Amino acid sequence: MPSSGTRAGGILFPIVKSLSSALGSEQGETRKKAGAFFMQTLWQGNAVTNGMFLTSMAGNPLIASLVLTTFGVEISWGGLWAMGAIVPALVSLAVIPYVLYKIYPPQIKDYPQGKEIARAELAKLGSLQKNEIVMIGVFIGALILWATGSITGLNATTVVMIAVGVMLVFGVLEWNDFIGENGAWDTLIWMGSLITLAGGLSKLGFVTWFASLMSGTMGGLSWTLVMVILVLVYVFTHYFFASLTAHITAMYATFGAVAIAATLCL
């Protein structure tokens, strides 16, 4: 799902909120029963999954596009991105709940009747409907196509268009649902413009010039120290940007060029 906000706020948050309410844990004095732990786990886990897959958030395909236009390296869903992110992401997802459980433990540690309640609620929902079955199929199909992009030659955008088309054909989405996604259209227009701008700066030599300037300033430093400085500057400059996409567009390619230049100067 290429949206951090949709994944965390639109899907996971209602589930976690309902689960917390079922356990009698609400905002206020009862938050530490379970809700606070659930919310922290949700937030930290979502931050990890943002970088786990190329399509986890809108900024990731932008990074791939910038790397391709600036450095000539293609990053695919199941190639470089997955190989670089899957191990640290899985380790983080395994460790984070345990660490939070130790430093911010829920007061409710056992709820044996939970399974019975869940079964009863599922029974009320009934069997899967046609649209739900189609949605599951589209989701699985999109994951397969994203993972096999290097084999099929289909990039992430093409896969998304196919998925949307299937949902429109089968009535899972109506056309008004499609055109009513203002946030998605904003992302499409702005991201296209920003990628074009970044490509133009690269062609004009701005990225190379800035990288040379910065690498000269950091001359004599080890590449490890250079990386630490770049990461710290990149992280803390995020406070000056309203979105991850804007931050990535403004700084990612340039900082990447500086990192490469620092390595080549060794």
Side-chain angles (χ1 to χ4, degrees):
M1 179 175 292
S3 172
S4 174
T6 301
R7 181 174 58 253
I11 296 178
L12 295 177
F13 176 77
I15 296 174
V16 171
K17 180 66 171 64
S18 299
L19 181 59
S20 301
S21 298
L23 295 174
S25 181
E26 302 287 354
Q27 185 176 1
E29 294 182 357
T30 61
R31 70 185 186 280
K32 290 189 176 181
K33 281 187 175 181
F37 169 74
F38 289 155
M39 292 299 175
Q40 281 292 331
T41 304
L42 165 62
W43 189 86
Q44 299 289 348
N46 187 62
V48 173
T49 55
N50 281 345
M52 191 171 183
F53 301 107
L54 180 60
T55 49
S56 293
M57 69 172 190
N60 294 350
L62 175 58
I63 289 174
S65 297
L66 291 173
V67 170
L68 181 61
T69 57
T70 306
F71 308 116
V73 177
E74 184 175 359
I75 299 178
S76 62
W77 193 93
L80 291 177
W81 193 286
M83 288 190 294
I86 193 68
V87 173
L90 289 177
V91 171
S92 297
L93 289 176
V95 170
I96 285 173
Y98 176 78
V99 173
L100 288 174
Y101 189 83
K102 291 296 184 181
I103 64 176
Y104 202 53
Q107 294 174 351
I108 299 176
K109 294 181 171 60
D110 188 25
Y111 196 66
Q113 62 269 41
K115 291 183 179 179
E116 287 71 20
I117 295 175
R119 290 193 187 98
E121 293 299 322
L122 286 173
K124 291 180 183 178
L125 292 175
S127 58
L128 290 173
Q129 303 299 311
K130 185 202 77 172
N131 284 351
E132 294 169 339
I133 295 173
V134 172
M135 187 67 232
I136 293 172
V138 169
F139 178 73
I140 295 173
L143 287 178
I144 293 173
L145 290 176
W146 278 329
T148 58
S150 59
I151 300 173
T152 62
L154 297 174
N155 60 36
T157 304
T158 304
V159 173
V160 170
M161 295 302 293
I162 293 172
V164 171
V166 171
M167 287 189 287
L168 286 172
V169 169
F170 283 92
V172 178
L173 288 177
E174 299 293 336
W175 183 248
N176 287 334
D177 297 326
F178 184 63
I179 62 176
E181 286 290 338
N182 296 327
W185 286 110
D186 284 344
T187 300
L188 176 65
I189 299 301
W190 283 106
M191 186 176 292
S193 303
L194 293 172
I195 290 175
T196 303
L197 176 61
L201 290 175
S202 179
K203 289 180 180 179
L204 291 173
F206 173 80
V207 173
T208 304
W209 169 79
F210 187 79
S212 300
L213 178 65
M214 291 296 294
S215 59
T217 304
M218 297 182 183
L221 300 178
S222 67
W223 73 267
T224 307
L225 182 57
V226 171
M227 287 298 296
V228 170
I229 294 172
L230 290 177
V231 169
L232 289 175
V233 173
Y234 189 86
V235 169
F236 285 102
T237 52
H238 182 55
Y239 289 100
F240 297 100
F241 295 88
S243 72
L244 281 170
T245 302
H247 189 205
I248 291 168
T249 303
M251 306 190 71
Y252 182 83
T254 304
F255 273 47
V258 172
I260 293 173
T263 304
L264 294 177
C265 288
L266 292 178

